[in-house]
């Protein structure tokens, strides 16, 4: 048992984090059973294919399934270690964290737990979620002991080890990033570290407990959100003062201790736009800067829309015989960040939909990374290649590499990424 403590690992939730993690363990020749409630995802994986887009993931999953180390199932099976990687969205106006997926996952693994098992919560979680998970497991299995009550002597070991990988670089960062290990006891941490050391070449750093590990992950994403909000606020101030924010940032970043991030159309994705709210909901009176950063970033799409309206107005001033119906707008990019196909919580998609709904004239959507036009944009003309686009106004929302090569023919541009107005990139390190 001690030589090979993990003969079988079960990963609950086969999404953007769970599937790559499951594939990584399997690539180290450990039997992995991935569990998901989505029957189509389970079938796809069992065919050796993938249902999400992430560079190199298809290759690793294909090999792991073919060699018999990875399979997917709808129901959990006994294993030595269980990793929970399910979504943790927020709900309602107050952005309260929604732990229902973690609760359901805990309930589903409880019947198959055995003494000596390790349960790791990987999902980004509000402070206290790991303790809540331990309590749900204990409630479902009164015959077993758990660390929040029995400490080191418990039958089950529990830890929070947040994922920290960047979409688009998951397969690389899973291996090389350091891991924060927040076990409920030192033995829980030691066992969790041993699990990750099967493929992680970064350091497995033991935190004083699960709460600080939970807060650490939220802090990382809030740090980024606050810094993006600073850049976004600067872009508004510069617009008011008639300055080029890209030039300003380029100059300021020449200072050895200044590294301003990039303004954009807002913050998207399922992490940075969500996680800071978990800190706000834990400390609503105190987390003032973090809340304001969220508000600044969330308000950016409306500001971009006001710039598009201004651009239409400017075009009509130059062409007095025309009406809005005669003005063609081309929208460049829909995804939540460059060079990926992910549309989740994308401010670009939100802006494109609102342009289409409010503009009387033709709208062209240019998105090279997505194969099919999203249903909400069906009325627009969808193009994958920017080369043949002819429009009066060009609205740049995502700085895909292919847009970099060529300025659009449009006379008026709303460039939310500084792609068409910059001579040199701000500082490559900030991306
Ligand atoms: N963005 C800007 N300006 C910038 C950088 C980003 O507007 O200078 C925007 C992007 O366009 C995008 C959003 O922010 O809409 C988020 O993109 P991102 O690349 O900053 O982050 P994510 O959401 O893809 O991944 C983040 C990462 N967290 C940090 O870098 C601190 C990743 O390491 C986490 O694992 C991931 O969240 C997660 O799963 O929580």
């Amino acid at each position: 048992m001690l030589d090979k403590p993990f003969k079988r690992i079960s990963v609950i939730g086969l999404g953007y984090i769970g599937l790559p993690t499951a594939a990584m363990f399997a690539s180290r020749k450990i039997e992995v059973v991935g569990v998901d409630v989505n029957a189509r995802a389970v079938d796809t994986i069992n065919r050796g294919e993938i249902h999400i887009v992430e560079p190199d993931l298809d290759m690793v999953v294909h090999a792991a399934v073919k060699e018999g180390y990875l399979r997917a199932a709808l129901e959990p099976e006994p294993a030595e270690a269980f990793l929970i990687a399910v979504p943790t969205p927020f709900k309602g106006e107050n952005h309260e964290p929604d732990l229902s997926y973690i609760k359901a996952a805990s309930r589903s693994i409880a019947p198959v737990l055995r003494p000596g098992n390790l349960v790791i919560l990987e999902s980004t979680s509000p402070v206290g979620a790991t303790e809540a998970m331990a309590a749900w497991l204990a409630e479902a299995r009164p015959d077993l002991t758990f660390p929040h009550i029995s400490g080191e002597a418990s039958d089950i070991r529990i830890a929070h080890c947040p994922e920290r990988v960047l979409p688009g670089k998951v397969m690389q960062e899973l291996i090389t990033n350091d891991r924060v290990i927040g076990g409920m006891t030192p033995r829980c941490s030691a066992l969790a570290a041993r699990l990750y050391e099967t493929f992680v070449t970064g350091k497995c750093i033991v935190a004083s407990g699960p709460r600080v590990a939970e807060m650490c992950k939220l802090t990382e994403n809030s740090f980024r959100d606050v810094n993006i909000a600073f850049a976004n606020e600067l872009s508004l101030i510069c617009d008011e003062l008639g300055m080029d924010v890209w030039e300003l940032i380029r100059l300021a970043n020449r200072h050895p201790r200044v590294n301003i991030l990039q303004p954009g159309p807002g913050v998207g994705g399922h992490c940075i736009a969500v996680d800071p709210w978990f800190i706000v909901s834990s400390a609503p009176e105190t987390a003032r800067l973090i809340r304001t950063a969220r508000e600044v970033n969330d308000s950016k799409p409306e500001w971009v829309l006001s710039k598009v309206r201004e651009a239409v107005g400017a075009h009509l001033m130059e062409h007095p015989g025309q009406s809005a119906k005669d003005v063609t707008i081309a929208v460049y990019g829909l995804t939540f960040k460059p060079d990926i196909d992910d549309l989740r919580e994308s401010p670009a998609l939100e802006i494109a939909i609102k342009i289409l709904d409010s503009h009387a004239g033709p709208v062209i959507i240019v998105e090279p990374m997505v194969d099919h036009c999203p249903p909400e944009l069906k009325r627009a003309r969808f193009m994958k290649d920017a080369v043949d686009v002819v429009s009066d106004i060009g609205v740049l929302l995502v700085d895909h590499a292919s847009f970099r090569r060529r300025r659009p023919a449009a006379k008026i541009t709303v460039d939310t990424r500084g792609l068409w107005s910059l001579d040199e990139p701000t500082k490559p390190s900030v991306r």
Side-chain angles (χ1 to χ4, degrees):
M1 168 82 177
L2 278 180
D3 281 339
K4 213 175 173 193
F6 309 108
K7 292 199 189 75
R8 186 192 282 165
I9 297 170
S10 181
V11 178
I12 317 297
L14 295 172
Y16 281 79
I17 299 301
L19 182 56
T21 306
M24 223 29 116
F25 283 117
S27 73
R28 297 302 185 267
K29 304 204 182 302
I30 300 173
E31 185 192 346
V32 180
V33 181
V35 181
D36 204 289
V37 291
N38 177 349
R40 259 181 57 198
V42 166
D43 287 344
T44 307
I45 295 162
N46 284 333
R47 284 198 308 271
E49 293 163 19
I50 59 175
H51 60 298
I52 51 177
V53 175
E54 180 60 39
D56 299 334
L57 177 64
D58 51 351
M59 228 166 52
V60 184
V61 168
H62 183 75
V65 172
K66 203 171 142 213
E67 289 169 21
Y69 290 106
L70 175 64
R71 69 190 157 84
L74 286 165
E75 297 291 338
E77 297 172 22
E80 277 74 45
F82 294 85
L83 270 91
I84 296 184
V86 295
T88 41
F90 58 66
K91 54 184 178 188
E93 295 253 308
N94 292 331
H95 308 94
E96 292 293 324
D98 176 0
L99 297 187
S100 58
Y101 295 90
I102 299 180
K103 192 171 184 179
S106 311
R107 291 264 155 86
S108 78
I109 63 167
V112 296
L113 283 184
R114 293 179 306 201
N117 280 176
L118 170 68
V119 182
I120 293 183
L121 179 61
E122 275 221 11
S123 313
T124 303
S125 302
V127 173
T130 311
E131 288 158 1
M133 181 184 80
W136 290 322
L137 290 171
E139 197 181 288
R141 287 297 300 269
D143 55 318
L144 295 172
T145 57
F146 289 82
H148 64 297
I149 294 166
S150 308
E152 290 293 32
S154 64
D155 292 326
I156 306 296
R157 317 239 175 270
I158 293 181
H160 178 57
C161 306
E163 62 81 13
R164 309 159 97 188
V165 288
L166 195 70
K169 284 192 181 170
V170 168
M171 299 311 277
Q172 179 198 324
E173 290 204 356
L174 263 182
I175 298 173
T176 55
N177 285 3
D178 291 346
R179 291 299 299 220
V180 173
I181 313 275
M184 291 188 87
T185 68
R187 281 178 73 189
C188 296
S189 293
L191 197 59
R194 197 149 168 213
L195 178 70
Y196 286 106
E197 278 160 4
T198 53
F199 69 79
V200 171
T201 60
K203 288 198 174 71
C204 290
I205 299 159
V206 173
S208 57
R211 293 172 78 89
V212 72
E214 288 157 350
M215 187 62 183
C216 178
K217 169 64 195 260
L218 303 179
T219 300
E220 291 159 15
N221 279 355
S222 300
F223 171 86
R224 195 148 168 90
D225 198 44
V226 167
N227 281 279
I228 298 169
F230 181 72
N232 275 333
E233 188 165 287
L234 278 180
S235 73
L236 268 60
I237 295 168
C238 282
D239 185 67
E240 228 170 272
L241 302 182
M243 255 176 238
D244 181 342
V245 69
W246 312 102
E247 181 192 6
L248 174 74
I249 291 175
R250 190 168 71 227
L251 295 173
N253 279 352
R254 292 276 166 192
H255 186 286
R257 283 175 297 282
V258 173
N259 194 356
I260 302 168
L261 293 183
Q262 307 278 310
V267 166
H270 44 292
C271 311
I272 298 198
V274 175
D275 304 349
W277 287 120
F278 294 173
I279 298 184
V280 174
S281 77
S282 293
E285 300 298 321
T286 321
R288 292 186 298 153
L289 182 62
I290 295 170
R291 179 200 297 274
T292 303
R294 276 284 66 248
E295 287 164 356
V296 168
N297 287 333
D298 274 354
S299 64
K300 195 72 193 284
E302 278 307 321
W303 185 83
V304 174
L305 285 163
S306 73
K307 292 285 130 189
V308 175
R309 282 192 294 273
E310 268 177 33
V312 174
H315 176 92
L316 293 178
M317 290 278 276
E318 275 182 31
H319 302 82
Q322 291 188 359
S323 75
K325 273 191 180 150
D326 306 307
V327 183
T328 301
I329 301 179
V331 175
Y332 293 78
L334 293 177
T335 58
F336 91 82
K337 62 180 193 174
D339 303 321
I340 59 165
D341 72 332
D342 198 335
L343 295 169
R344 285 179 298 173
E345 315 298 327
S346 171
L349 179 62
E350 178 191 337
I351 293 166
I353 292 170
K354 287 191 174 157
I355 291 176
L356 187 64
D357 286 350
S358 60
H359 181 57
V363 176
I364 303 170
I365 305 286
V366 194
E367 179 44 87
M369 301 301 293
V370 173
D371 284 334
H372 304 289
C373 181
E376 306 95 312
L377 295 172
K378 278 280 183 262
R379 279 191 303 114
R381 185 166 165 218
F382 185 70
M383 296 174 77
K384 280 181 74 83
D385 195 334
V387 175
D388 298 323
V389 175
V390 178
S391 71
D392 300 302
I393 293 166
V395 183
L396 191 280
L397 299 177
V398 187
D399 44 342
H400 290 313
S402 61
F403 295 159
R404 255 165 242 260
R405 290 179 213 123
R406 184 165 186 280
R407 227 182 166 282
K411 265 204 190 143
I412 306 178
T413 56
V414 178
D415 181 358
T416 69
R417 293 286 183 180
L419 201 66
W420 297 327
S421 42
L422 263 187
D423 295 323
E424 59 173 278
T426 310
K427 222 187 209 183
S429 62
V430 300
R431 300 315 309 275

